[in-house]
Amino acid sequence: MGNSLGKFAIWMLPLFLMGFGLPKNIEKKVDKEIKDYFEIEIFEMKPALLDSGKHLELPSKINENNFFRLFDEQTPIGYVYIDQAPSKTAKFDYLVLLDNNLKIVRSKVLIYREEYGGEIGSKRWLRQFEGKMAGNRVDHESNIDGIAGATISVRSMTNAIDELLQSLAILKENEVL
């Protein structure tokens, strides 16, 4: 019994160290971006996708652990989406901040784990997504600039943002958001 309890405690430890299912290092970066963009010190994050949207097939994996409604006191101020996308041999973590109208106001690569391709984390390149709204399309061949030496990461981030925008459109059409 003692041995199995020890295994249980070790298995449960990561669950207690995470807020909203996010590792602490990611959570700190998300907090910083929210505070910086919205110019607030105190905010609340609540899961944005409740049971009403779980039956829908979405291009992005949106759930209660990666898509949140942001509040300044009781006032809704926007949304935050946190996910991972593949690079050549690993995955990178990114976030997308949206306003109340589901328009992208900021995107950020939080952690990039490859030797090459990290240029997708530049503010200049990421600004291309700002202003895009639910239902808009983004594509690395037509309306998003490439980066020499970061082709895989450019495609991956662009596809991830496009899938998010299409998912948000489906949620909006079905009156989930």
Side-chain angles (χ1 to χ4, degrees), residues 94-173:
Y94 69 94
L95 105 131
V96 178
L97 292 179
L98 303 118
D99 68 11
N100 286 322
N101 297 314
L102 301 174
K103 179 176 72 173
I104 295 175
V105 294
R106 179 176 286 175
S107 56
K108 171 109 176 151
V109 174
L110 300 170
I111 298 177
Y112 193 82
R113 297 175 179 87
E114 296 272 358
E115 193 172 327
Y116 299 103
E119 298 87 355
I120 65 161
S122 79
K123 289 180 182 180
R124 184 172 180 243
W125 187 79
L126 290 167
R127 272 192 215 114
Q128 296 178 90
F129 299 111
E130 292 176 12
K132 305 293 187 213
M133 298 186 68
N136 288 164
R137 300 306 304 248
V138 291
D139 183 274
H140 63 276
E141 292 181 358
S142 61
N143 62 359
I144 298 296
D145 294 334
I147 301 172
T151 306
I152 294 170
S153 298
V154 163
R155 287 180 181 173
S156 182
M157 183 67 169
T158 303
N159 290 341
I161 297 286
D162 187 63
E163 290 172 0
L164 172 63
L165 293 170
Q166 300 321 302
S167 297
L168 293 173
I170 292 167
L171 293 169
K172 196 172 178 180
E173 288 168 13

Side-chain angles (χ1 to χ4, degrees), residues 8-34:
F8 175 76
I10 290 169
W11 179 80
M12 289 299 292
L13 183 63
L15 296 178
F16 294 119
L17 295 176
M18 294 189 234
F20 292 113
L22 299 175
K24 279 288 181 206
N25 62 335
I26 299 287
E27 190 175 334
K28 286 180 183 180
K29 292 178 183 212
V30 169
D31 286 353
K32 180 185 177 306
E33 289 301 315
I34 292 168

Side-chain angles (χ1 to χ4, degrees), residues 30-38 43 45 70 97:
V30 169
D31 286 353
K32 180 185 177 306
E33 289 301 315
I34 292 168
K35 289 176 181 179
D36 180 53
Y37 179 78
F38 290 103
F43 62 90
M45 286 174 46
L70 298 171
L97 292 179

Side-chain angles (χ1 to χ4, degrees), residues 46-87:
K46 295 180 182 177
L49 190 60
L50 303 174
D51 291 334
S52 58
K54 289 187 177 178
H55 68 284
L56 298 171
E57 281 194 40
L58 304 172
S60 287
K61 60 173 188 173
I62 294 180
N63 58 52
E64 63 278 351
N65 294 317
N66 71 353
F67 187 55
F68 306 97
R69 189 76 163 113
L70 298 171
F71 295 87
D72 180 7
E73 295 185 21
Q74 301 299 319
T75 307
I77 57 172
Y79 298 86
V80 62
Y81 177 72
I82 303 122
D83 202 6
Q84 291 186 326
S87 51

